[in-house]
Structure formats: C-alpha cells, structure tokens
Amino acid sequence: MSFAASLLSTPFKPLSPRFRASASDVPDFLSPDWLESRRKRPSGPRLSFSAEEAVRYQLDALMFNDQPRPDYGIEVMYRFAGFDPFERSTYFGPFFDLGQFERFRRIFHHSSYRVLLGHRERKILSSLLVKENRYKQRVWVRGARPEEEETFQFTMVQRVGGSWDGYWLTESLLHDGDSFSGGVAY
C-alpha cells in the first residue's frame, strides 16, 4: 500500500484539542483570552443606529454606568464623542481639552453631569432633526439621589466621508443651566 493510500484509509483523529474547531472557538492565531477581551470592550456607534437610537443607547449605558465594570457607560459615551482628541472641544459647552479619557470621565463625575450616572428615570422633552445630518434631543433625567433632576441637550451629527461615514456621533452634551459656574477640576 502506498503512503497516500494509507493516509486515505485511516480515519482522521485530531492530534490534540487545540485542533478541534467549532463556531464558538477562537481561532488559534488569536490569544486565548481574545473572545473575553472583545466582550469587555465598550460598545460604540453602529452604522445601523438612527440618531434617536444612538441617544437612547448612550443614556442606557449611563443608566447602568458601572456594569460590567466601573465607568463603562462613560467609556461608551467617549466612543460616541465626535470631537478631535487633539483639539479643544465644546462637547460640554466651554472649551475643554478632552483628548484624554480621564478628563472626559472627570466631567461626568462633576455635580451637574453625575445625575446621568445610574439615573432612575428619563423623559424626552423634545426632538428636532435640524438638518439631514444634524439632530438635537432634550432629555429630562431623574438621578439616583433624592431630588436630583436635570435637563440635557444632545446634539448628534451624522458623519459624511471618512471611516465614520454614516455614523451618528455626539457633537455635544449640554446641561441646561450654568453647569460650570463654580469651575471644574478636570
């Protein structure tokens, strides 16, 4: 019997469990913890989201901010943020350097924005499609702490061209009122 014939006549037995494959297994060219690391990565904008869905998704993330880990909801917000990290931004109103996530995170823990973190209730006050690619929504939020309520305005912009073409990103999240009158250490 030739070598080729002997290969064809013997049944295939995997050499080790590493070579068994199923749809849920991680390919062997990726690290063993790849799938788990993908699950931990914060979600961000999706091409399938409308402007309304993008706002709702961000608010849901903030409502459950510390799940699955601390400040996960703020990480989601940062992924939706449509500012250039190398330029000062008016995302929160005044010009801030928000290029580093930690600065962005600190503003959410400021008294005016912290109502969003773990909030109990929210209500859409108004929605307006300003232009074909610009959308505004005002939202009333009741926080987790007693008598904590605030109103915020999301401005969403749908990008045209580039790697974010068609995605709705948050241009600004403004607090109704003078939220930074006392200053903020960011």
Side-chain angles (χ1 to χ4, degrees), residues 92-94 96 110-113 150-152 174-184:
F92 292 108
F96 285 123
H110 181 268
S111 61
S112 298
Y113 285 86
E150 302 290 344
T151 303
F152 296 92
L174 304 176
H175 175 265
D176 275 10
D178 193 11
S179 61
F180 295 109
S181 61
V184 60

Side-chain angles (χ1 to χ4, degrees), residues 80-163:
F80 272 91
F83 58 78
D84 181 348
F86 300 106
E87 301 286 331
R88 294 178 73 77
S89 171
T90 57
Y91 183 94
F92 292 108
F95 276 102
F96 285 123
D97 177 2
L98 300 175
Q100 295 175 356
F101 172 73
E102 183 58 27
R103 290 180 180 163
F104 187 83
R105 188 191 72 76
R106 279 190 211 137
I107 290 176
F108 271 99
H109 286 280
H110 181 268
S111 61
S112 298
Y113 285 86
R114 76 175 176 202
V115 64
L116 290 163
L117 304 178
H119 65 273
R120 300 276 188 246
E121 183 182 355
R122 65 180 180 251
K123 181 178 166 186
I124 296 170
L125 300 176
S126 62
S127 300
L128 177 65
L129 188 62
V130 179
K131 293 184 196 172
E132 184 180 346
N133 65 339
R134 185 186 246 9
Y135 174 81
K136 291 186 180 261
Q137 187 173 81
R138 289 186 70 236
V139 181
W140 167 85
V141 176
R142 174 170 299 163
R145 291 169 279 289
E147 298 183 30
E148 188 178 49
E149 349 182 319
E150 302 290 344
T151 303
F152 296 92
Q153 177 181 286
F154 280 83
T155 301
M156 306 298 292
V157 175
Q158 189 176 37
R159 290 291 171 92
V160 178
S163 60

Side-chain angles (χ1 to χ4, degrees), residues 3-16:
F3 178 70
S6 69
L7 283 177
L8 294 174
S9 65
T10 58
F12 173 74
K13 292 181 185 173
L15 298 174
S16 72

Side-chain angles (χ1 to χ4, degrees), residues 38-59:
R38 291 294 293 171
R39 287 186 182 131
K40 290 181 179 177
R41 187 171 168 219
S43 296
R46 295 190 183 134
L47 193 54
S48 62
F49 281 167
S50 67
E52 297 91 351
E53 290 169 325
V55 171
R56 185 177 339 112
Y57 189 83
Q58 292 175 81
L59 286 168

